[in-house]
Amino acid sequence: MSRKLRIGVLISGSGSNLQAIIDACVDGRIDGEVVFVGSDVPDVHGLERAQKANIPTFVVDYQEMGRDFTNFCECMTPSHVHKDIQDMITKSDCIVPSSITDPLKRFRWLYKRIMIENELLLNVEKFEIDLLVLAGFMRKLTAYFIDRINCGSMLPRIMNIHPALLPSFAGTNGYEDTFDHGCKAGGCTVHFVDYGEDTGPIIGQLTIPILPGDTIDMVKKRGLAQEWMLYPECIQLFAHDRLRVVENDHGRKIVVIS
Ligand code: GRF
């Protein structure tokens, strides 16, 4: 693309991947610029990194907003919401914690999540981004949010980095799960975000060895160093329009790189 890719980044914590992306934009490994950094948690180190780089930041405090919306959502039933929202809620059922088994409670959990995501959308939409990058953002997104970000684009527009070689070890503890299973290799994956948990089309992967005598901290450190290389490379492929999502013979959506 002739102009710079406009990248929005969502974080929840230390933001070392965010830093790798900012650095890659500055030194030309990504033909793009980070136009905002949003967090679901106030006061995290990643926000300081953004401020240091003069990047606008915002916080949508999921915990606090969740508390604010609780009473309202307690009264909601599917009959209160438009059919479109009911569809979105059905599509996103897999992101509700499995500990919530009652269908009405699952509905309310998702409805509340959509209300919070509305606030997130209001912030994100101010920046007219080309790509939304999840860099240690520890919240699952509903179909409601994903569809609104992807709207009008041939290619998905949300990327995530996961600390394991997907499709193995989806979920929040990729390195720990890889290590606990006694795997002799692990790694990281960058993928587009779809409605499932870490199930979207894979863009890139790097592996790390897991050696005798390694501790989980050593594995995490080795893995993170790979993440910092992989994420900028994948974003650059997007910036250069080299990614296509196609359906393979098994009906699975995969990324083809040109
Ligand atoms: C990374 O390991 C990433 O794969 C996972 O969360 C961690 C975030 O680290 N999703 P940081 O905030 O980028 O330092």
Side-chain angles (χ1 to χ4, degrees), residues 11-18 49 134-138 160-164 172 175 188 224 227-228:
I11 59 166
S12 299
S14 94
S16 69
N17 276 287
L18 163 69
R49 294 180 192 266
L134 310 183
F137 182 65
M138 302 307 282
N160 182 40
I161 189 151
H162 181 74
T172 43
Y175 291 131
C188 52
L224 263 177
E227 292 185 34
W228 302 333

Side-chain angles (χ1 to χ4, degrees), residues 161-199:
I161 189 151
H162 181 74
L165 292 173
L166 292 172
S168 293
F169 308 124
T172 43
N173 299 313
Y175 291 131
E176 287 85 347
D177 293 344
T178 305
F179 185 72
D180 284 350
H181 270 74
C183 295
K184 306 303 177 243
C188 52
T189 304
V190 171
H191 63 96
F192 283 123
V193 171
D194 68 5
Y195 300 152
E197 185 178 10
D198 304 319
T199 52

Side-chain angles (χ1 to χ4, degrees), residues 18-251:
L18 163 69
Q19 190 66 58
I21 294 164
I22 295 172
D23 293 347
C25 287
V26 170
D27 69 26
R29 280 174 294 128
I30 299 175
D31 293 317
E33 58 179 326
V34 177
V35 295
F36 73 77
V37 174
S39 172
D40 63 317
V41 184
D43 301 326
V44 291
H45 184 49
L47 289 170
E48 280 171 39
R49 294 180 192 266
Q51 281 147 11
K52 226 180 215 170
N54 289 320
I55 297 167
T57 61
F58 62 80
V59 175
V60 174
D61 187 337
Y62 270 49
Q63 212 173 14
E64 189 183 288
M65 292 189 78
R67 278 194 295 268
D68 291 349
F69 289 141
T70 296
N71 287 342
F72 177 73
C73 291
E74 280 309 301
C75 315
M76 297 298 292
T77 69
S79 64
H80 288 108
V81 303
H82 192 273
K83 171 87 179 54
D84 291 355
I85 301 290
Q86 280 184 37
D87 286 350
M88 294 297 160
I89 285 178
T90 307
K91 282 184 193 164
S92 299
D93 188 67
C94 68
I95 72 165
V96 184
S98 55
S99 55
I100 306 174
T101 50
D102 175 50
L104 188 57
K105 286 193 177 144
R106 291 178 77 80
F107 164 84
R108 286 175 178 154
W109 189 95
L110 279 168
Y111 187 73
K112 183 153 72 173
R113 185 51 69 91
I114 286 176
M115 291 182 74
I116 299 170
E117 285 179 348
N118 242 328
E119 184 64 26
L120 189 60
L121 274 169
L122 285 175
N123 280 282
V124 170
E125 280 168 357
K126 286 180 199 156
F127 293 93
E128 297 186 358
I129 51 168
D130 303 303
L131 179 69
L132 182 63
V133 167
L134 310 183
F137 182 65
M138 302 307 282
R139 303 286 180 169
K140 295 171 201 159
L141 297 167
T142 71
Y144 176 83
F145 182 89
I146 295 167
D147 283 2
R148 274 157 184 74
I149 296 293
N150 287 342
C151 179
S153 166
M154 291 287 286
L155 212 54
R157 294 206 303 172
I158 310 177
M159 269 187 202
N160 182 40
I161 189 151
H162 181 74
L165 292 173
L166 292 172
S168 293
F169 308 124
T172 43
N173 299 313
Y175 291 131
E176 287 85 347
D177 293 344
T178 305
F179 185 72
D180 284 350
H181 270 74
C183 295
K184 306 303 177 243
C188 52
T189 304
V190 171
H191 63 96
F192 283 123
V193 171
D194 68 5
Y195 300 152
E197 185 178 10
D198 304 319
T199 52
I202 291 169
I203 302 165
Q205 293 184 303
L206 286 176
T207 57
I208 51 164
I210 299 178
L211 304 168
D214 272 352
T215 61
I216 179 60
D217 286 343
M218 290 159 82
V219 170
K220 273 189 187 169
K221 200 170 159 202
R222 202 173 292 144
L224 263 177
Q226 298 298 299
E227 292 185 34
W228 302 333
M229 286 200 287
L230 181 65
Y231 223 168
E233 282 172 14
C234 292
I235 295 170
Q236 180 71 331
L237 289 173
F238 186 98
H240 283 204
D241 197 23
R242 291 184 53 198
L243 305 175
R244 290 290 174 272
V245 176
V246 300
E247 203 165 285
N248 70 10
D249 295 345
H250 305 283

